[in-house]
Amino acid sequence: MPDYIPFNQIFKDHTELEAVQEILSGETWHGDGPAGKRVEAKLSKWLDSRFVFLTTSCTHALEMAMMVLEIGHGDEVILPGFTFVSTANAVRMQGGIPVFAEIKASDLTLDPVDVARKITPATKAVIPIHYAGVSADFEGIRKAIANHSGSGQQIAIVEDAAQAVGAWWNDQALGTIGDIGCFSFHDTKNITCGEGGAFLTQNRELAEKAEWIREKGTNRSAFLRGEIDKYTWISQGSSYIPSDLLAGVLEAQLEKRNQILALRKQVWEAYRYRLQEAAARQWITLPEIPEYASSNYHIFHFHVPDPADRDPLLRALKDAGIGASFHYIPLHNAPFAQKILDHPVSLPRTEYLAQTLIRLPLYPDLARISDDVADRVMKVLTRFFQSKGR
Ligand SMILES: Cc1ncc(COP(=O)(O)O)c(C=O)c1O
């Protein structure tokens, strides 16, 4: 077993290089080329999604989502305090107000009870995050919204499915359930092209707007399909289409999706099995996967009961060659949130969960040695907690 187990490692073989070589030897390097079109069609078929648009990142797909929904000055958008900055920035960039809500202790996804509390007449959207590739509670979130829609108020659901490609809520793919879904193909994600993302919707009207926004606010895509004879500027927009070179890498990765899922599952289950005893001794708490969720095993994480133990335990794991980590630092009390919010936000459950979180290395190539790595983690936990007399 190697001395140091990194936190993440890209799963690749010769096919990514071959895909790039083939595209480089051709004449179409720009976006929306043959590889991009094939990837969109493959994602659409796999996930049963009516519209899929590749983007340059999930950050950009989220920005598109806020533009498509016409979020504007003073509109409120509810999102968990426990998320990546891009979720909140997308709201802010349109002049919207991010309204931070609590997460559930069992799976770190948005708490529908707190969503219900935070809906106001200014609420325009809710953004659940599928943390670790485990579905947020759609039923709970929809109920919270439905209780407020009697007055005719429309509240959209935008799934921040950055971590959730190939994960499911019942028999529906994450990213295809809300009004809009956003994926990430960053190289920390299960399927990657380095930097990339996708915008998904099942709604034709939203798809049409997304297509303009992604193509610099023009109807150039309809022009290229021969549907109109010239194209022009028809909405705000930007340049969100990835080069075909990246789409080629993504296509090669997509072909390996079943293998990637099976290997990640193997690692996740090795941790789960071998750390059970640590949970039984109440040294740690293991995450739960709700019955409605099929995970894509993006993250394996656990919590220590006492926040004071988290950093020393992270150090002990690193000293033992385990590249463990934590993430996210909640956004609601980050410096920029304090600057833009007109009152301080307190989310005690989120703060406690973030301060007690530890994430373990998880990537397909670890499957070869996952039992040994999980044993090594268990040894560190045993030494750490026994030295404290627990
Ligand atoms: C919840 C969430 N949203 C958005 C992003 C941003 O994704 P990208 O790096 O593709 O812009 C991330 C990145 O990790 C994320 O975890």
Side-chain angles (χ1 to χ4, degrees):
M1 179 164 43
D3 283 346
Y4 191 75
I5 308 295
F7 181 66
N8 185 46
Q9 215 169 64
I10 297 171
F11 186 64
K12 57 176 188 262
D13 57 21
H14 58 100
T15 56
E16 286 83 6
L17 185 60
E18 284 165 10
V20 171
Q21 275 169 339
E22 195 186 315
I23 295 164
L24 280 176
S25 66
E27 292 303 322
T28 309
W29 293 5
H30 61 70
D32 262 349
K37 291 289 173 207
R38 283 196 304 272
V39 171
E40 287 177 349
K42 283 178 183 175
L43 282 170
S44 178
K45 184 161 177 232
W46 173 32
L47 306 171
D48 194 18
S49 180
R50 210 165 155 214
F51 301 100
V52 177
F53 299 104
L54 288 185
T55 60
T56 29
S57 64
C58 182
T59 301
H60 286 164
L62 288 162
E63 287 173 23
M64 283 174 58
M66 294 300 107
M67 283 189 234
V68 164
L69 295 173
E70 296 178 18
I71 300 300
H73 189 74
D75 290 341
E76 294 179 4
V77 177
I78 300 176
L79 66 161
F82 187 69
T83 183
F84 192 66
V85 286
S86 299
T87 327
N89 266 331
V91 177
R92 180 67 192 168
M93 283 174 77
Q94 296 307 305
I97 302 169
V99 176
F100 295 105
E102 285 278 23
I103 48 172
K104 294 186 286 154
S106 54
D107 59 16
L108 310 191
T109 67
L110 190 58
D111 177 4
V113 177
D114 204 32
V115 171
R117 269 189 226 117
K118 291 194 164 142
I119 293 177
T120 74
T123 306
K124 288 284 157 45
V126 176
I127 314 184
I129 277 73
H130 305 304
Y131 186 76
V134 170
S135 177
D137 176 4
F138 280 104
E139 211 178 306
I141 293 166
R142 280 177 178 159
K143 267 194 203 143
I145 290 175
N147 288 342
H148 286 259
S149 51
S151 55
Q153 184 179 357
Q154 298 282 326
I155 301 176
I157 296 181
V158 175
E159 294 172 69
D160 183 338
Q163 304 183 349
V165 183
W168 305 79
W169 176 74
N170 296 317
D171 60 354
Q172 285 178 272
L174 299 188
T176 69
I177 301 159
D179 298 271
I180 295 169
C182 303
F183 286 149
S184 172
F185 300 119
H186 184 266
D187 71 12
T188 50
K189 302 301 187 295
N190 289 21
I191 291 169
T192 179
C193 56
E195 300 275 357
F199 174 107
L200 286 78
T201 184
Q202 313 313 308
N203 177 312
R204 176 168 292 284
E205 206 183 311
L206 300 184
E208 191 176 38
K209 284 161 88 178
E211 197 175 66
W212 301 334
I213 289 166
R214 196 179 68 130
E215 185 63 287
K216 296 105 183 161
T218 73
N219 51 357
R220 183 166 179 266
S221 301
F223 169 73
L224 293 176
R225 284 195 299 268
E227 293 165 12
I228 47 177
D229 27 341
K230 59 180 183 326
Y231 75 89
T232 186
W233 182 25
I234 45 175
S235 84
Q236 71 168 328
S238 190
S239 184
Y240 291 135
I241 305 178
S243 153
D244 230 34
L245 289 161
L246 289 178
V249 175
L250 199 53
E251 187 173 23
Q253 288 266 304
L254 266 180
E255 293 303 313
K256 295 194 270 277
R257 63 182 182 272
N258 293 333
Q259 196 187 357
I260 289 171
L261 181 71
L263 293 170
R264 295 188 81 98
K265 181 169 189 238
Q266 202 177 316
V267 179
W268 194 96
E269 286 179 344
Y271 282 139
R272 177 94 205 178
Y273 181 72
R274 284 180 155 71
L275 300 187
Q276 257 170 19
E277 200 191 322
R281 288 170 183 256
Q282 298 184 338
W283 292 340
I284 62 169
T285 314
L286 292 170
E288 285 168 30
I289 298 188
E291 220 164 87
Y292 52 71
S294 304
S295 175
N296 66 359
Y297 305 99
H298 178 58
I299 290 174
F300 187 92
H301 61 99
F302 62 81
H303 295 270
V304 291
D306 185 350
D309 284 338
R310 198 273 301 276
D311 290 349
L313 181 55
L314 268 179
R315 270 195 301 278
L317 285 163
K318 286 204 173 127
D319 290 346
I322 305 290
S325 179
F326 67 92
H327 206 220
Y328 308 104
I329 297 173
L331 294 182
H332 61 280
N333 36 28
F336 193 59
Q338 286 170 10
K339 191 169 158 191
I340 61 170
L341 299 178
D342 55 13
H343 56 86
V345 178
S346 165
L347 301 174
R349 196 190 310 140
T350 296
E351 285 155 31
Y352 170 76
L353 291 167
Q355 284 163 11
T356 55
L357 179 74
I358 290 189
R359 294 170 56 175
L360 295 176
L362 175 48
Y363 46 87
D365 280 332
L366 209 54
R368 283 179 295 113
I369 51 168
S370 52
D371 290 346
D372 295 340
V373 174
D375 279 343
R376 209 199 269 185
V377 172
M378 186 59 197
K379 267 192 204 136
V380 176
L381 293 180
T382 307
R383 215 179 313 129
F384 184 85
F385 286 106
Q386 284 186 345
S387 75
K388 290 174 175 286
R390 288 192 225 153

